Amino acid sequence: MRIIVRAIAALVLPLCAFFAAAASGQTAAARDGVNIPLRYETLDNGLRVVLAEDHTVPTATVAVYYGVGYRNEPRGRTGFAHLFEHIFFAGSQNLPEPVFYYYIADLGGIANGSTRLDFTNYFGVVPANALNAFLWAEADRMAAPTIDEAVFQRERDVVRNEIFVNVQNRAYGDWTWVDLPMAANENWHNAHNFYGDLSDLDAATVEEAWAFFEQYYTPRNAVLVIAGSFDTDATLATVEQYFGDIPAGPDLPEIDVSEPPQTVEKRARLTDPLATQPGLAIAYHMPERGTPEYFAMILIDQILTRGGDARLQQHLVDDLGYGSGVGGGINLLGNAFNYDGPMLWTASLIHDGEIAPDTVLTEFDRVIDELRETRVSDAVLASARNKFLAEFYLQFDYGTRFGVADLLASFALFDDDPGRINRIEDGFEQVTPQMIQRVARDWLRRDNRTILELVPGDGRPPAAPLAPPVKAEDLP
């Protein structure tokens, strides 16, 4: 991830006013639900454009999402999607490095980028009167980025150092969002090292970077979101002027990312030489995104892991004192909406070394079994829905509008329907206590889960190893 930041006084007062309104509960989303006026167009070259005009704050947010991420990077080149994200910040034909950095800063803006499972995104916010200049820079980068041997070698070293700092030299670095999916999934696209094996990164070439750009960084594989203070018709004309002549690019390769149904519980063990306490992480395969069961699973996540009244937190931490907090959720690399493919629901706990992992698992199962066997009350369901909506609305209360841009881009990229942002609450209104129980029974099965035991690597044996996997015929 790269970041370019310059503080600008012109933004401070409007943003402070915005956050003050959010704190007092006066945001439009919190008052009336989500109702964002949108314009959605597709250029002749396939670029999808989402415009959300909003004059609340005199800034404009621009986000370009390319439909390539960890999940569809090339075999034998793990971490390549993330490496290319870094390379793409090296400037372009008309803004060669380091001019690109100074250009964004001189606009009074901030910019960043990230790589996720199913997309790589580049986003920034500028004063409203600098929007056209920012769009020109993004178009120049999409048309003619700087990709040469010097940039490639430097950015590969940056990524290597990032792996050393964030993964190899940090306790518990990536055990829940890399190691656990690798154990839980069968399809290589879902089960490889997303951060990248160093041997793969070392073997990569600048020619492969160019091929990656020409295949994936094309208008037909991209969504441009503009949210903020601008005139919709005029801005759409500017987009057509700057982006309209960029070639559409080749057809996208067909990649099968589907997962076979899991029928037997999996168990795996990971040694972390820097960890001081053991950990236990459990992952269940999720219902398909967008289905009624998926919405129910999001509320199940609220019941089990979110907030002070979360059942796993209350039982494992507050009542039994096994650890300091239960982590987890849906799509640990993003949120419950910005992915497209198989997904896991995850819960994890770093626990006291004197407690056997099977003891932790037994108490974890006690909470899960209660949800499967006893229907939740209307009050519990209403609380889960309210907790979700509070989190959801916070994405709209962020002064940069990055949360809004992310949802708009994801719904356009994966569903060809950014208007889903205004209907997302409807899916949760259909969830009932009966559905919660049915989905828990259908999906929170022991033969649908993977258990990852993290063992501290200090030479001490764990209190007791996990028992062998349960046979399918013995599962409830």
Side-chain angles (χ1 to χ4, degrees):
M1 179 178 290
R2 284 293 188 92
I3 187 165
I4 310 165
V5 180
R6 182 183 183 185
I8 48 174
L11 294 180
V12 172
L13 290 178
L15 289 180
C16 289
F18 185 89
F19 284 119
S24 64
Q26 297 302 309
T27 61
R31 284 197 312 268
D32 305 315
V34 180
N35 183 22
I36 298 177
L38 301 175
R39 177 100 173 255
Y40 184 39
E41 301 286 349
T42 301
L43 304 189
D44 290 342
N45 60 9
L47 179 66
R48 285 156 285 179
V49 183
V50 185
L51 301 116
E53 185 175 342
D54 166 29
H55 298 280
T56 305
V57 179
T59 60
T61 300
V62 175
V64 183
Y65 278 52
Y66 294 93
V68 58
Y70 298 121
R71 208 190 309 255
N72 48 358
E73 60 192 3
R75 285 179 179 270
R77 291 295 179 265
T78 58
F80 204 93
H82 177 221
L83 171 59
F84 195 87
E85 175 214 323
H86 283 251
I87 293 171
F88 208 56
F89 272 100
S92 56
Q93 177 177 316
N94 292 299
L95 290 173
E97 195 178 33
V99 178
F100 182 83
Y101 298 96
Y102 295 135
Y103 180 84
I104 299 300
D106 287 344
L107 292 179
I110 61 173
N112 205 345
S114 65
T115 310
R116 296 293 181 257
L117 281 172
D118 300 295
F119 62 81
T120 304
N121 62 353
Y122 303 88
F123 48 91
V125 57
V126 292
N129 61 3
L131 172 59
N132 288 357
F134 197 113
L135 290 172
W136 174 83
E138 282 295 352
D140 198 56
R141 179 161 61 165
M142 180 184 288
T146 301
I147 305 174
D148 58 29
E149 192 67 38
V151 166
F152 184 82
Q153 296 290 351
R154 185 195 64 218
E155 296 306 324
R156 181 166 57 184
D157 289 342
V158 171
V159 171
R160 286 173 57 87
N161 289 335
E162 192 172 321
I163 292 173
F164 288 137
V165 171
N166 292 344
V167 179
Q168 296 185 357
N169 292 317
R170 192 171 96 185
Y172 313 101
D174 60 353
W175 72 299
T176 56
W177 66 270
V178 171
D179 295 295
L180 184 54
M182 289 174 67
N185 292 313
E186 298 293 329
N187 187 325
W188 179 89
H189 293 287
N190 309 315
H192 66 274
N193 183 348
F194 300 138
Y195 232 129
D197 293 324
L198 292 179
S199 60
D200 285 352
L201 291 171
D202 288 342
T205 67
V206 69
E207 290 78 16
E208 289 172 327
W210 269 113
F212 191 80
F213 164 74
E214 291 169 352
Q215 176 65 78
Y216 292 107
Y217 275 63
T218 63
R220 73 167 62 199
N221 193 38
V223 169
L224 169 65
V225 173
I226 309 169
S229 184
F230 57 84
D231 177 85
T232 295
D233 291 336
T235 298
L236 184 59
T238 300
V239 169
E240 179 69 52
Q241 176 187 354
Y242 292 156
F243 291 86
D245 291 336
I246 302 174
D251 292 338
L252 296 171
E254 294 185 8
I255 299 176
D256 179 11
V257 300
S258 63
E259 278 293 318
Q262 184 173 333
T263 58
V264 178
E265 180 184 81
K266 299 178 184 179
R267 300 198 179 191
R269 177 180 287 191
L270 169 71
T271 299
D272 186 340
L274 299 178
T276 57
Q277 291 182 302
L280 200 64
I282 302 99
Y284 295 81
H285 293 282
M286 280 274 298
E288 182 179 353
R289 176 179 171 273
T291 62
E293 292 77 12
Y294 154 88
F295 288 104
M297 196 67 199
I298 293 175
L299 295 186
I300 286 174
D301 175 51
Q302 294 288 337
I303 293 170
L304 293 176
T305 70
R306 302 290 180 176
D309 63 345
R311 293 185 176 187
L312 287 171
Q313 174 75 21
Q314 286 189 335
H315 186 63
L316 297 177
V317 176
D318 299 344
D319 296 343
L320 299 176
Y322 284 174
S324 59
V326 174
I330 298 166
N331 188 18
L332 301 186
L333 287 172
N335 57 55
F337 306 105
N338 63 2
Y339 70 90
D340 186 37
M343 184 48 62
L344 302 170
W345 173 73
T346 301
S348 62
L349 177 72
I350 297 170
H351 61 87
D352 190 319
E354 301 302 316
I355 303 169
D358 262 327
T359 300
V360 178
L361 187 61
T362 295
E363 297 303 326
F364 173 88
D365 283 338
R366 195 183 306 278
V367 177
I368 299 298
D369 290 343
E370 180 184 3
L371 189 66
R372 300 179 78 227
E373 296 165 4
T374 305
R375 187 174 298 170
V376 300
S377 66
D378 290 335
V380 168
L381 179 58
S383 174
R385 188 180 290 117
N386 289 337
K387 285 193 295 180
F388 164 77
L389 290 176
E391 290 182 5
F392 185 63
Y393 290 147
L394 282 176
Q395 298 179 76
F396 298 85
D397 290 344
Y398 189 36
T400 62
R401 303 185 183 90
F402 286 155
V404 173
D406 176 70
L407 293 172
L408 291 172
S410 298
F411 292 143
L413 190 63
F414 304 137
D415 308 295
D416 195 28
D417 181 15
R420 284 189 62 183
I421 196 171
N422 293 326
R423 306 189 304 273
I424 201 68
E425 296 175 55
D426 297 344
F428 298 99
E429 293 299 326
Q430 310 306 315
V431 178
T432 64
Q434 294 86 341
M435 186 184 295
I436 292 289
Q437 185 177 26
R438 174 173 62 81
V439 171
R441 286 177 173 175
D442 290 346
W443 292 90
L444 300 184
R445 309 184 323 270
R446 298 185 189 182
D447 61 345
N448 187 44
R449 76 181 180 186
T450 298
I451 303 165
L452 177 63
E453 177 189 2
L454 184 142
V455 181
D458 58 2
R460 298 178 302 174
L466 283 169
V470 180
K471 296 180 180 179
E473 58 266 27
D474 296 333
L475 294 169

